[in-house]
Amino acid sequence: MTERRRTDPLPLGGDEPYSKGLMARALMRVGVSAVRAYELARRVEKDLLDGKKDSIELDRVQDLAVEVLGDGEGEKAAGRLRRYRDLQELDLPIIVLIGGATGTGKSTVATEVAYRLGITRVTSTDFVRQTLRAFFSPAFMPSIHYSSFEAGKGLKSAEEEEVDPLLHGFLDQTRNVLVGVDAAIERSLAEGWSTVLEGVHLVPGMLAPIKDALVVQCVLAIESEEAHASHFWIRDLASDGLRPLDRYLDRLSDIRYLQDYIVERAEKEGVPVIDNRQREGATSEVMELVLSAADTLQKVG
């Protein structure tokens, strides 16, 4: 297998000299706040200087973490560092798939998860859909030329009369987009690259099986309709109005209808559903899924 390209190995017990910056980043990736992470990294650096050493073992980091962060937080941080190290040592690319309806915070969580895992490739199914639009005309593939909650407009009138146009249009669009998604994943695996992929089209049970990789799939959802609407307000501010707020709020009921369908599929397929009430909490839950999957592979191996 082609060597998997990753970044920032843990500065623990290796041939390279200790790096305070790498240690702080590693600690932040496992959920330690930036201030506390640099505080502990400085404490580790002092311990190395006092002992005239260039590297440190994880057991010693745990002792120092308990000293700086306290018993509970210190042991938790050290435990996650240990699991993160084991994850890095797996000779497999990591594929993280984050699905969910429009406005559930997928791209934000995906970017943060990629950072914590040291993965440099993050893409979206919307990017795949946009690429398909450039190659296939509305006459040939109509559904991809609409948003996920408007794809029913691309259906022929006979199809509209036969089935639910909102859901049928979304599923037609999803099947088309997943052809490109499958190709992107195959290329990633061929190159040995780890990837975080997010998008509404990552519907549980509709993706092709993925082999020779550590695969983690989950779905983000927002239980409260009010909280869901607030995500669009935040996104409108962040994009300077490039994504029209009223368009999403006017179709919120349709968006949440698709969310209900995706969540139902996830529950049927045994895919974890994470309520994204708060970004840090959702990110930590996705990270725990990745680390748990790695733990399982370690035990099987």
Side-chain angles (χ1 to χ4, degrees):
M1 180 180 290
T2 306
E3 182 180 357
R4 179 160 50 99
R5 298 160 177 83
R6 302 291 303 283
T7 61
D8 289 358
L10 288 176
L12 301 171
D15 296 328
E16 296 295 324
Y18 172 78
S19 166
K20 180 172 62 178
L22 287 183
M23 176 58 78
R25 284 199 292 273
L27 289 164
M28 286 187 284
R29 284 173 176 166
V30 298
V32 180
S33 69
V35 173
R36 302 285 270 169
Y38 275 98
E39 183 181 354
L40 177 53
R42 285 193 295 269
R43 180 65 184 87
V44 172
E45 182 179 53
K46 182 179 183 303
D47 191 74
L48 289 172
L49 290 173
D50 291 345
K52 298 181 180 180
K53 298 177 181 179
D54 291 328
S55 61
I56 190 166
E57 298 296 329
L58 189 50
D59 287 343
R60 180 55 181 160
V61 172
Q62 179 167 335
D63 293 338
L64 297 174
V66 169
E67 179 184 315
V68 174
L69 305 177
D71 290 342
E73 187 179 353
E75 290 178 2
K76 181 178 178 181
R80 282 209 159 194
L81 278 179
R82 195 181 304 276
R83 296 170 75 196
Y84 183 68
R85 180 196 60 189
D86 292 342
L87 175 67
Q88 287 188 316
E89 292 176 352
L90 284 177
D91 186 26
L92 285 173
I94 301 169
I95 306 295
V96 181
L97 307 169
I98 302 176
T102 303
T104 52
K106 300 181 297 298
S107 60
T108 302
V109 171
T111 301
E112 183 63 24
V113 167
Y115 167 74
R116 294 190 186 188
L117 292 173
I119 295 175
T120 57
R121 287 196 168 187
V122 184
T123 191
S124 71
T125 63
D126 271 345
F127 178 81
V128 174
R129 179 166 61 95
Q130 190 66 31
T131 303
L132 291 174
R133 285 178 175 179
F135 288 94
F136 299 104
S137 69
F140 183 78
M141 195 177 289
S143 65
I144 65 170
H145 291 269
Y146 296 90
S147 295
S148 60
F149 51 88
E150 297 175 326
K153 294 179 180 179
L155 297 178
K156 297 177 182 178
S157 58
E159 292 174 323
E160 289 182 352
E161 294 171 1
E162 183 179 342
V163 294
D164 176 356
L166 173 60
L167 183 56
H168 186 81
F170 168 66
L171 292 176
D172 182 73
Q173 181 184 96
T174 295
R175 282 187 285 267
N176 289 326
V177 171
L178 287 182
V179 173
V181 169
D182 290 340
I185 292 174
E186 287 178 10
R187 177 59 185 271
S188 188
L189 295 177
E191 296 293 333
W193 283 96
S194 293
T195 302
V196 176
L197 183 64
E198 59 87 8
V200 65
H201 308 98
L202 299 178
V203 178
M206 294 188 67
L207 287 86
I210 303 171
K211 299 179 180 179
D212 300 321
L214 175 67
V215 182
V216 171
Q217 183 178 8
C218 65
V219 164
L220 298 187
I222 299 179
E223 184 175 347
S224 163
E225 182 171 344
E226 182 179 353
H228 201 161
S230 72
H231 275 227
F232 293 112
W233 284 95
I234 294 169
R235 192 165 69 173
D236 181 65
L237 292 172
S239 67
D240 292 327
L242 291 178
R243 305 173 85 171
L245 172 64
D246 290 343
R247 175 168 168 257
Y248 294 102
L249 294 182
D250 289 345
R251 299 298 298 271
L252 184 58
S253 61
D254 291 338
I255 292 170
R256 290 184 62 78
Y257 175 80
L258 292 180
Q259 172 176 278
D260 290 343
Y261 174 78
I262 294 168
V263 167
E264 182 180 341
R265 288 288 298 253
E267 292 172 346
K268 180 180 178 180
E269 297 292 332
V271 172
V273 177
I274 297 172
D275 186 8
N276 189 14
R277 288 168 291 183
Q278 195 265 345
R279 183 186 67 180
E280 177 57 34
T283 301
S284 295
E285 288 193 53
V286 177
M287 285 295 298
E288 182 59 33
L289 291 175
V290 175
L291 293 173
S292 294
D295 292 343
T296 301
L297 279 182
Q298 292 280 357
K299 291 175 183 177
V300 173

